[in-house]
């Protein structure tokens, strides 16, 4: 569905697309020049490498309408670096930063007329695909690739209720060597566990805790909060290094909160929830910071603090969204 057919903020997140798609191709030797084409005009052959062997990675960032009327992407350089790291892991051609900047700038300017007002935004989805037409290349990387930035005007991603999250200690989200890679294959691997949690517990997501220590959910990082304090797992190769997570840590430190990046066991998590001021949240570009009301551990429901949205969550979410629209300035490191 195109953005002119339906107003984005009323539509489900990610189902409405800008009409203009900046795209560049790698021919096996070099990147060609960017073109901006109609989004609906792009097609790939059925033998395309990524459709068979998952040679695909992506990014998700948002461009926000600023208080001065301009449109600005939030910390895009972090997403570019992460896409380059993902491309390396998948043995795909690594797109240069200047090309990524050019594509994102073009996605914003070409689709500027459909950027919703805040709290809506233009969600940008850079996508890098292996495009060799070769189903015999199961054990070989794709030599050719396509890189485009799909634009999607969006409103809220999370449901309006406090989230219900199942804690899963037995099955990991992905393999350790792919934890840091933002690739579609990771989502396919986590899908069964998340579906089961939804069916059995009416859960919104799953918090993966391989080996009994919490890491992240299927599509967002996880933080524990109370007034003046933030706790989250230390970065490792086995989970995604979120830009939102990093931003929240920097904001909490700027407020002189106690910030702890350390392993948290499922037992400690359960104890944490009993504190009256306990809060927990999902941190990601789409979600921003979504409050968690209930955890389900070994089939048992545990309320997080009061079960309602708390002051620490509101404070950080408020600051971050003000920075994103230029209402508040902040120098991220
Ligand atoms: C994208 C993603 C995140 C969040 O990263 P942000 O940069 O904050 O958007 C967290 N976990 C997974 C698995 C992701 O794919």
């Amino acid at each position: 569905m195109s953005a002119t057919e339906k107003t984005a903020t009323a539509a489900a997140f990610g189902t409405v697309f800008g009409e203009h798609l900046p795209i560049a191709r790698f021919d096996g030797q070099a990147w060609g020049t960017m073109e901006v084409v109609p989004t609906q005009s792009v097609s790939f052959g059925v033998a395309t490498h990524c459709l068979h062997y998952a040679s695909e990675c992506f990014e998700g960032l948002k461009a926000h309408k600023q208080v001065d009327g301009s449109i600005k992407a939030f910390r895009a350089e972090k997403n570019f670096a992460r896409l380059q790291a993902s491309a390396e892991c998948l043995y795909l051609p690594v797109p240069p930063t200047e090309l990524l900047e050019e594509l994102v700038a073009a996605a914003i300017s070409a689709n500027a007329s459909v950027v919703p007002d805040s709290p809506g935004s233009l969600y940008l989805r850079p996508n890098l695909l292996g495009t060799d037409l070769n189903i015999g290349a199961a054990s070989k990387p794709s030599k050719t690739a396509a890189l485009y930035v799909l634009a999607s005007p969006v409103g809220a991603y999370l449901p309006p209720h406090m989230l219900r999250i199942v804690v899963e200690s037995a099955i990991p989200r992905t393999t350790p060597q792919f934890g840091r890679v933002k690739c579609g294959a990771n989502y396919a691997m986590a899908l069964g566990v998340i579906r089961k949690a939804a069916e059995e517990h009416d859960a919104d997501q799953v918090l993966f805790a391989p080996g009994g220590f919490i890491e992240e959910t299927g599509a967002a990082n996880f933080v524990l909060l109370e007034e003046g304090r933030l706790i989250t797992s230390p970065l490792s190769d086995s989970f995604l290094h979120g830009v939102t997570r990093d931003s929240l840590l920097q904001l909490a430190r700027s407020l002189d909160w106690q910030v702890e990046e350390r392993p948290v066991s499922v037992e400690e998590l359960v104890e944490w929830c009993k504190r009256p001021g306990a809060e927990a949240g999902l941190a990601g570009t789409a979600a921003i910071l979504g409050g968690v009301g209930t955890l389900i551990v070994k089939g048992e429901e545990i309320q997080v603090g009061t079960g309602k949205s708390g002051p620490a969550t509101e404070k950080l979410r408020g600051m971050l969204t003000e920075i994103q629209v230029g209402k508040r300035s902040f120098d991220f490191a």
Side-chain angles (χ1 to χ4, degrees):
M1 186 174 287
S2 85
T4 44
E5 286 168 61
K6 188 158 182 185
T7 49
T9 35
F13 188 102
T15 60
V16 176
F17 307 107
E19 285 176 17
H20 309 286
L21 187 83
I23 183 167
R25 290 177 189 265
F26 188 85
D27 64 5
Q29 306 291 327
W31 286 97
T33 47
M34 176 191 79
E35 280 181 280
V36 180
V37 301
T39 301
Q40 295 197 345
S41 72
V42 177
S43 59
F44 294 100
V46 290
T48 299
H49 193 272
C50 74
L51 296 177
H52 299 265
Y53 305 121
S55 52
E56 176 275 343
C57 55
F58 65 94
E59 270 306 321
L61 67 160
K62 280 177 177 168
H64 303 266
K65 209 174 263 184
Q66 305 290 294
V67 283
D68 68 6
S70 63
I71 304 163
K72 203 171 144 205
F74 180 68
R75 302 192 72 190
E77 67 287 351
K78 299 284 285 180
N79 298 88
F80 299 159
R82 193 168 63 190
L83 185 71
Q84 289 164 337
S86 295
E88 264 178 38
C89 288
L90 292 161
Y91 297 91
L92 283 166
V94 177
T97 306
E98 305 72 53
L99 178 62
L100 287 162
E101 283 168 353
E102 191 186 3
L103 287 158
V104 162
I108 295 170
S109 60
N111 296 294
S113 65
V114 298
V115 181
D117 289 332
S118 167
S121 62
L122 190 66
Y123 182 83
L124 298 168
R125 169 56 61 89
N127 219 179
L128 176 65
L129 315 177
T131 51
D132 282 6
L133 295 172
N134 184 356
I135 60 169
S139 311
K140 288 192 196 122
S142 177
K143 294 190 195 74
T144 63
L147 172 67
Y148 53 81
V149 178
L150 181 59
S152 177
V154 296
Y157 170 73
L158 289 177
H161 59 256
M162 289 296 282
L163 301 171
R164 291 171 58 81
I165 307 287
V166 165
V167 179
E168 170 62 56
S169 311
I171 306 172
R173 184 179 64 90
T174 175
T175 60
Q177 71 270 33
F178 270 84
R180 283 184 67 172
V181 184
K182 203 168 177 79
C183 62
N186 282 348
Y187 282 75
M189 282 189 267
L191 191 59
V193 177
I194 296 167
R195 287 271 302 159
K196 191 161 169 273
E199 279 163 17
E200 292 180 0
H201 300 286
D202 196 23
D204 300 290
Q205 252 298 349
V206 169
L207 172 61
F208 291 90
F213 286 87
I214 63 172
E215 276 190 343
E216 68 164 329
T217 67
N221 293 132
F222 185 79
V223 293
L224 296 177
L225 295 162
E226 66 182 344
E227 282 196 275
R229 192 170 174 207
L230 184 160
I231 309 173
T232 196
S233 309
L235 293 178
S236 76
D237 283 347
S238 62
F239 75 93
L240 215 280
H241 299 187
V243 179
T244 314
R245 174 191 178 280
D246 178 75
S247 304
L248 294 173
L249 287 176
Q250 293 196 41
L251 292 181
R253 288 195 174 107
S254 79
L255 293 167
D256 280 330
W257 287 15
Q258 187 178 327
V259 174
E260 300 166 44
E261 284 184 85
R262 59 173 177 81
V264 176
S265 67
V266 174
E267 291 76 32
E268 181 181 354
L269 174 69
V270 169
E271 283 307 306
W272 172 268
C273 293
K274 295 178 186 157
R275 303 162 77 100
E279 300 173 38
L282 261 53
T285 295
I288 309 175
L289 180 59
V292 176
T294 309
L295 291 171
I296 297 122
V297 180
K298 295 194 185 100
E300 193 193 326
E301 292 207 11
I302 299 159
Q303 183 175 297
V304 183
T306 61
K308 301 199 174 67
S309 187
T313 305
E314 305 275 334
K315 170 90 189 167
L316 290 183
R317 188 199 289 135
M319 278 180 85
L320 185 56
T321 49
E322 283 182 16
I323 293 163
Q324 288 174 331
V325 299
K327 260 190 208 161
R328 178 195 282 267
S329 66
F330 191 88
D331 276 329
F332 287 104

